[in-house]
Amino acid sequence: MTIMTFGRAINTGLRKAMENDPKVVIIGEDIGALGGVFRITDELQKDFGAHRVIDAPLAESAILGTAVGMAYRGYRPVCEIQFDGFIYPAFDQIVSQVAKLHYRTRGRVRMPLTIRVPFGGGIGAAEHHSESPEAYFTHTSGLRVVAVSNPQDACTMIQQAIACDDPVLYFEPKRRYHTKGEVDEDALEDALPMDSARVEVPGTDVTLVAYGALVQTAREAAQAAEDDGISVEVIDLRSLSPLDFPTVEASVRKTGRLVVTHEAARTGGLGAEIAASLTERCFYYLEHAPVRVTGMDIPYPPAKMERHHQPDLDRILDGVDRVLGRPNSLTGLED
Amino acid sequence: MGAEHLPASEFDIEELEQSLVTSDPAAAPPLVQLMAPDGSVREDAKYGQYAAHLDGDALRAMYRDMALVRRFDQEATALQRQGQLLLWPPLLGQEAAQIGSGSALKPQDYVFPTYREHGVALTRGLELSKVLRLFRGVSNGGWDPRESNFHLYTLVLAAQSLHAVGYAMGVQRDGDDAVTVAYFGDGASSEGDVHESMVFAASNQSPVVFFCQNNHWAISVPTEVQSRIPLSNRASGYGFPGIRVDGNDVVAVHAVTRWALERARSGKGPVLIEAFTYRMSAHTTADDPTKYREAVEEEKWRERDPLLRLERYLRSTNTAGQDFFDQVTVEADKLAASTRADVLAMEAPDFEDHFANVYGDPHPLVQEELEWHRQYQAGFAEDNAGRAEGEAR
């Protein structure tokens, strides 16, 4: 076990993947000498060479499109998208090409790409640097989508994503890059499968589903609720596509109450899918309609206002109150 | 793999100067032509040597391939008109551009086509009727690209140009001697992916040949709307050579492509070839060219027909006689008949098959929906069985 930051944990996972498989190459903007704008690829070009850690010209569609060609040739490319809001120029390559080529070639051509995307707000960034575009990709068949929440998962799941023969979008909560945690670098073998959710905090009254940066906030909310005598079970979704319904379902059958939280806008978001699916799957176990605590259906606000937009501890607790039928922001806080 | 494979900042200044000799960037570049429309041979100091190996056998084979793919194209068009195909994009008029370039490739080279490269498919040894699976509506692919080094057709145009560059970057890392060819047209030349692919290919000095068939029409929009300068001139902006070749001269296309492939293979980086040709037929069977172009334009290009040109040469030089042409006609009709038989026999696979390769590894949602589909279908089977039973009574 080593204590390391979230960012270092991804770096360590990348390094291990590159050591284990000479076909792993990384391509992205500024990832070489600089080590990426967040230093996630720090020192990798120096150690593995510029032919494996490729500083790409500044064009996201081409980063994805050439990665498709390299995958075709037998490589396992890891693409770094510099910021969430920069992924859209590559959208066609991801949804029309990366997602479909395995299917179109009847499995003759595999697409073992990993697409790393720093996502979410909370770092006081400029416009287009704080977005949560995950739902665009969970809507597309042929892709797998994961979001990591802690250094251990960050290290393990980047290796699982790279080893996976399907394309994986790997969302990294950029505001947690400097969070430290214990990491067992050799945990890969006994690790939870990439597409499994994890019960982070066991509880009995409310199921609280989160992913990425909000898992930590959800844990804090569970702690605060406990002080109020409410037992919240926190589930770290980890895999956004496919969703691990059995794990969430087992929890909801136990608690009868579901709160889902994410930074992305509410409409058409993951919360909508989870609320609808869980209602279908365990309607008779529910004591209350599922509650979503999400970003609003407005453009991501300028940094000085982002705290009003993002779900935080209080808003998550408000969601817990709503699902328990306690006084809340909708009913008015006075009894 | 060492540092010599890394992106190089220097480029071949002499070659660049060559293309900069024309002071007016909009000026038409010289057209490479080795065989005039009347079948007479033209000398070319630079590219002539790349066609010198083409003996009678080779020229007859090129004619044969052009005739076969033209007949195939005609049959596919008929099959669409008869309701047997959803759609068909004809290649009529572009046979020389495709057979000439495709025949210059080596087996290890890899082609990334659009959806009109039926002639190139033939040169890659692909059984042509497989191309029709896509247009019959029984598959979204149709063939195993790894068998013929001929990628599936790409319908969102220009995406494939990046795949060609990425594959070539893989070739560089493997130290292999394959070259990739990205096919696209004058319309797709406006797409951002073509620009990005040229930037990446130049930056990496990758072994890619960009083969642009300028067939003058992007559905209804003429090339002038896409570009104010000859498309081949764009290459100098990226730092590699661009050549405009008479796309209806199969010998010149072959020679220029061979030169570009050899150059790329030897590590000198990409080339853009603009094959100046003409789409004699509609964009697809759903298109109506009478809405946007004059018949007189088509007439002008009919005089420049790629098959007629080579036939004139073959006859005037006694390289081929009537027997040869009769034999090609018989073979082409045979191909048309077998194509028709293949298409009529093509049936959609079971819908369950469609779930099989969405992912490489097992996927719970796909599995769940497949099981639901089976159950739902089984309900109909019981229903039908019940009805049949009732009728029997």
Side-chain angles (χ1 to χ4, degrees):
Chain A
M1 288 283 194
T2 318
I3 301 277
M4 63 175 82
T5 63
F6 203 119
R8 175 56 59 180
I10 304 172
N11 178 279
T12 303
L14 287 169
R15 177 178 293 277
K16 290 187 91 69
M18 295 190 82
E19 281 165 0
N20 290 339
D21 184 352
K23 290 294 188 185
V24 175
V25 294
I26 310 185
I27 181 166
E29 293 157 6
D30 305 294
I31 64 168
L34 182 65
V37 294
F38 291 109
R39 312 291 182 269
I40 303 299
T41 55
D42 193 32
E43 304 274 292
L44 294 179
Q45 189 182 63
K46 186 170 76 71
D47 295 342
F48 294 98
H51 60 293
R52 288 188 69 194
V53 180
I54 306 165
D55 261 329
L58 205 161
E60 288 78 11
S61 185
I63 289 170
L64 265 297
T66 55
V68 167
M70 285 191 279
Y72 218 111
R73 181 75 195 179
Y75 284 84
R76 231 166 240 283
V78 181
C79 303
E80 175 172 312
I81 298 293
Q82 198 161 67
F83 281 93
D84 35 55
F86 303 170
I87 199 168
Y88 308 116
F91 197 69
D92 173 63
Q93 285 290 342
I94 297 173
V95 303
S96 298
Q97 307 297 329
V98 172
K100 289 197 170 80
L101 278 171
H102 183 272
Y103 153 79
R104 291 190 67 217
T105 61
R106 301 188 56 78
R108 285 293 287 144
V109 179
R110 295 204 150 189
M111 281 292 127
L113 270 78
T114 302
I115 306 166
R116 290 185 38 238
V117 191
F119 85 124
I123 62 161
E127 196 186 7
H128 306 298
H129 291 68
S130 302
E131 305 198 353
S132 296
E134 61 273 16
Y136 294 115
F137 303 101
T138 59
H139 193 65
T140 301
S141 65
L143 302 175
R144 292 175 188 269
V145 182
V146 301
V148 286
S149 70
N150 62 72
Q152 179 66 67
D153 277 356
C155 180
T156 308
M157 286 172 76
I158 189 66
Q159 295 177 71
Q160 290 173 318
I162 292 169
C164 179
D165 278 336
D166 292 321
V168 180
L169 280 109
Y170 176 93
F171 282 97
E172 310 168 2
K174 63 172 95 75
R175 73 169 135 139
R176 303 286 185 226
Y177 276 149
H178 301 290
T179 308
K180 284 186 178 167
E182 281 199 339
V183 176
D184 175 0
E185 296 178 24
D186 301 313
L188 189 59
E189 214 154 287
D190 305 317
L192 196 60
M194 188 176 69
D195 56 5
S196 295
R198 181 197 287 121
V199 177
E200 278 282 309
V201 179
T204 52
D205 297 333
V206 175
T207 300
L208 173 57
V209 173
Y211 56 88
L214 287 181
V215 172
Q216 189 180 312
T217 318
R219 291 180 71 113
E220 291 160 12
Q223 182 64 53
E226 197 185 319
D227 297 344
D228 251 4
I230 300 162
S231 169
V232 174
E233 178 149 294
V234 176
I235 294 180
D236 179 359
L237 214 45
R238 297 174 10 117
S239 174
L240 312 187
S241 176
L243 287 165
D244 177 3
F245 286 122
T247 299
V248 184
E249 216 176 305
S251 176
V252 172
R253 280 172 196 252
K254 182 174 64 180
T255 63
R257 293 182 164 87
L258 172 65
V259 176
V260 189
T261 185
H262 53 65
E263 288 184 30
R266 181 164 58 177
T267 302
L270 256 290
E273 181 55 45
I274 292 166
S277 291
L278 268 293
T279 304
E280 286 171 350
R281 284 163 192 262
C282 38
F283 180 70
Y284 291 108
Y285 293 83
L286 290 175
E287 304 286 347
H288 191 281
V291 167
R292 288 173 284 168
V293 180
T294 69
M296 295 179 224
D297 288 296
I298 52 173
Y300 197 88
K304 299 290 185 202
M305 294 182 260
E306 68 181 328
R307 69 180 192 282
H308 296 297
H309 181 69
Q310 284 195 326
D312 59 6
L313 179 70
D314 288 335
R315 277 183 52 196
I316 291 175
L317 286 174
D318 181 57
V320 169
D321 285 340
R322 278 162 62 189
V323 84
L324 283 166
R326 287 156 54 100
N328 62 71
S329 59
L330 297 179
T331 59
L333 293 176
E334 302 301 320
D335 259 326
Chain B
M1 196 166 131
E4 71 274 15
H5 294 283
L6 303 180
S9 58
E10 58 272 271
F11 43 77
D12 190 343
I13 191 70
E14 282 177 14
E15 237 149 14
L16 274 185
E17 281 169 352
Q18 199 82 42
S19 58
L20 291 172
V21 168
T22 33
S23 54
D24 175 7
L31 185 75
V32 179
Q33 188 185 72
L34 299 178
M35 190 179 284
D38 65 4
S40 63
V41 172
R42 281 193 200 279
E43 296 301 323
D44 185 295
K46 180 169 181 185
Y47 299 107
Q49 56 183 305
Y50 291 92
H53 67 292
L54 295 175
D55 57 10
D57 280 347
L59 292 171
R60 282 189 297 270
M62 281 183 175
Y63 180 88
R64 172 184 167 274
D65 281 355
M66 290 199 292
L68 288 183
V69 79
R70 177 172 286 190
R71 183 68 185 86
F72 166 79
D73 187 63
Q74 186 189 24
E75 196 65 17
T77 303
L79 282 162
Q80 194 284 329
R81 292 292 182 236
Q82 291 156 6
Q84 298 297 337
L85 297 177
L86 317 170
L87 184 78
W88 181 245
L91 97 160
L92 188 68
Q94 297 176 223
E95 295 88 350
Q98 296 193 12
I99 302 298
S101 57
S103 61
L105 295 165
K106 292 195 169 174
Q108 70 268 32
D109 297 338
Y110 216 109
V111 170
F112 290 84
T114 70
Y115 44 69
R116 205 189 297 281
E117 268 67 74
H118 325 313
V120 185
L122 178 71
T123 66
R124 299 308 284 167
L126 184 66
E127 193 187 326
L128 279 181
S129 60
K130 286 186 178 170
V131 167
L132 300 175
R133 294 179 61 76
L134 183 69
F135 299 100
R136 175 80 164 167
V138 299
S139 170
N140 281 342
W143 60 90
D144 178 354
R146 296 217 190 268
E147 270 176 15
S148 45
N149 281 13
F150 184 77
H151 184 44
L152 299 179
Y153 279 179
T154 296
L155 275 66
V156 182
L157 283 178
Q160 78 280 3
S161 60
L162 287 168
H163 306 163
V165 176
Y167 191 99
M169 287 164 67
V171 167
Q172 286 176 293
R173 279 155 183 77
D174 295 338
D176 204 352
D177 71 342
V179 180
T180 63
V181 186
Y183 282 87
F184 60 98
D186 48 307
S189 75
S190 296
E191 291 275 5
D193 277 357
V194 164
H195 166 65
E196 292 187 17
S197 65
M198 291 186 180
V199 169
F200 271 54
S203 173
N204 289 286
Q205 289 293 85
S206 299
V208 186
V209 174
F210 294 103
F211 195 92
C212 175
Q213 290 169 82
N214 176 357
N215 70 12
H216 285 73
W217 292 94
I219 306 190
S220 65
V221 176
T223 309
E224 302 89 84
V225 175
Q226 314 291 342
S227 180
R228 291 296 180 112
I229 62 165
L231 291 170
S232 59
N233 285 12
R234 286 188 179 170
S236 69
Y238 297 99
F240 54 81
I243 306 138
R244 179 181 267 185
V245 62
D246 183 339
N248 286 13
D249 172 358
V250 70
V251 177
V253 172
H254 179 91
V256 163
T257 309
R258 197 159 160 254
W259 169 80
L261 288 167
E262 279 186 21
R263 186 181 183 282
R265 215 181 297 284
S266 68
K268 289 183 182 158
V271 172
L272 167 62
I273 296 171
E274 177 192 2
F276 206 68
T277 181
Y278 193 79
R279 194 193 76 210
M280 291 299 295
S281 185
H283 163 67
T284 67
T285 44
D287 177 35
D288 176 10
T290 64
K291 300 274 285 181
Y292 53 80
R293 71 186 190 191
E294 302 289 334
V296 61
E297 183 181 292
E298 292 171 22
E299 277 313 308
K300 191 184 83 179
W301 278 90
R302 215 177 301 281
E303 276 307 298
R304 309 179 59 83
D305 185 275
L307 275 80
L308 194 58
R309 180 182 316 203
L310 186 55
E311 182 181 342
R312 282 170 177 155
Y313 171 85
L314 292 172
R315 285 188 191 274
S316 68
T317 54
N318 289 322
T319 312
Q322 190 55 43
D323 282 358
F324 167 76
F325 293 102
D326 290 346
Q327 188 192 320
V328 168
T329 305
V330 170
E331 204 183 334
D333 286 342
K334 225 170 108 183
L335 172 66
S338 70
T339 298
R340 171 168 291 268
D342 287 349
V343 166
L344 297 181
M346 272 176 207
E347 286 183 13
D350 194 292
F351 185 61
E352 285 192 16
D353 197 59
H354 186 67
F355 291 78
N357 292 296
V358 180
Y359 292 89
D361 294 340
H363 191 280
L365 186 62
V366 172
Q367 197 53 40
E368 186 184 308
E369 292 187 350
L370 172 61
E371 276 157 23
W372 174 84
H373 167 71
R374 282 181 182 146
Q375 219 166 9
Y376 182 69
Q377 290 300 319
F380 284 108
E382 282 166 23
D383 214 35
N384 290 340
R387 202 172 298 141
E389 210 177 302
E391 279 165 14
R393 279 193 204 119

